[in-house]
């Protein structure tokens, strides 16, 4: 098996995508922040002292998707042409879904995962004073489209956009 991010000597390298043609690509990732019923109630009633947790998490996720190459040293700098981050309070915590789109030479899976992760971190940051037991869980890629490998959906997650 060969690894695309290693050169012949086993050193890390950025994959050269110069010869690839730009195509429309999309990726969706999800994650959760599990928390206490009391915190769920505070989130639903807008009673978190630090402000609008969901709005801040949404904007943080969008910003993070655009800055992925600064965090992942082998990620390509690409045109992130669309990002949506949905943050929803559910009975056991906060569900986060991020979809990132581009028309470029490489996919946006890492951008979607980064958006979810940073949105989740912002939720934790804003609520940790109310519930120190909050936990980030289940951050995963659930769908991607475009590029050489085409469409992919995580089994059991067909409902994803």
């Amino acid at each position: 098996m060969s690894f695309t991010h290693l050169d012949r000597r086993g050193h890390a390298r950025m994959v050269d995508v110069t010869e690839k043609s730009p195509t429309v690509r999309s990726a969706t990732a999800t994650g959760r922040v599990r928390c206490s019923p009391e915190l769920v109630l505070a989130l639903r009633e807008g009673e978190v002292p630090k402000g609008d947790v969901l709005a801040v998490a949404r904007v943080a996720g969008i910003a993070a998707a655009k800055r992925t190459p600064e965090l992942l040293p082998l990620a390509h700098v690409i045109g992130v042409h669309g990002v949506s981050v949905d943050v929803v309070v559910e009975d056991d915590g906060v569900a986060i879904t991020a979809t990132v789109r581009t028309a470029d030479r490489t996919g946006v899976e890492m951008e979607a995962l980064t958006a979810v992760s940073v949105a989740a971190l912002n939720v934790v940051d804003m609520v940790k004073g109310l519930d120190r037991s909050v936990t980030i869980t289940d951050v995963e890629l659930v769908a991607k489209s475009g590029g050489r490998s085409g469409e992919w959906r995580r089994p059991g997650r067909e409902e994803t956009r």
Side-chain angles (χ1 to χ4, degrees):
M1 173 182 259
S2 67
F3 295 98
T4 58
H5 283 80
L6 299 177
D7 66 15
R8 283 188 279 253
R9 296 174 293 169
H11 298 146
R13 69 176 179 102
M14 179 184 268
V15 174
D16 186 349
V17 296
T18 307
E19 300 299 320
K20 292 173 81 175
S21 296
T23 61
V24 174
R25 299 160 185 266
S26 177
T28 299
T30 60
R32 301 191 67 73
V33 178
R34 298 208 187 273
C35 59
S36 68
E38 295 79 18
L39 180 55
V40 167
L41 183 62
L43 288 164
R44 285 185 171 149
E45 294 182 355
E47 294 181 357
V48 176
K50 287 191 175 183
D52 189 340
V53 175
L54 307 183
V56 172
R58 193 176 306 110
V59 172
I62 292 167
K66 299 187 308 183
R67 299 186 74 168
T68 299
E70 294 175 34
L71 302 169
L72 303 176
L74 300 181
H76 291 87
V77 175
I78 61 171
V80 172
H81 299 123
V83 181
S84 68
V85 178
D86 297 318
V87 185
V88 178
V89 179
E90 296 184 344
D91 290 343
D92 64 345
V94 178
I96 303 166
T97 302
T99 299
V100 181
R101 293 181 42 83
T102 189
D104 217 315
R105 291 177 168 85
T106 189
V108 285
E109 295 91 340
M110 294 300 101
E111 286 76 5
L113 287 162
T114 299
V116 167
S117 299
V118 171
L121 287 168
N122 273 269
V123 171
V124 171
D125 181 49
M126 292 186 73
V127 304
K128 67 184 183 281
L130 298 174
D131 182 358
R132 294 215 182 273
S133 69
V134 293
T135 305
I136 297 171
T137 67
D138 305 318
V139 175
E140 61 186 2
L141 183 69
V142 296
K144 59 108 17 216
S145 66
R148 187 186 61 212
S149 61
E151 300 279 330
W152 175 84
R153 294 208 183 285
R154 181 170 297 281
R157 297 299 298 266
E158 286 72 23
E159 76 282 358
T160 302
R161 301 183 225 183

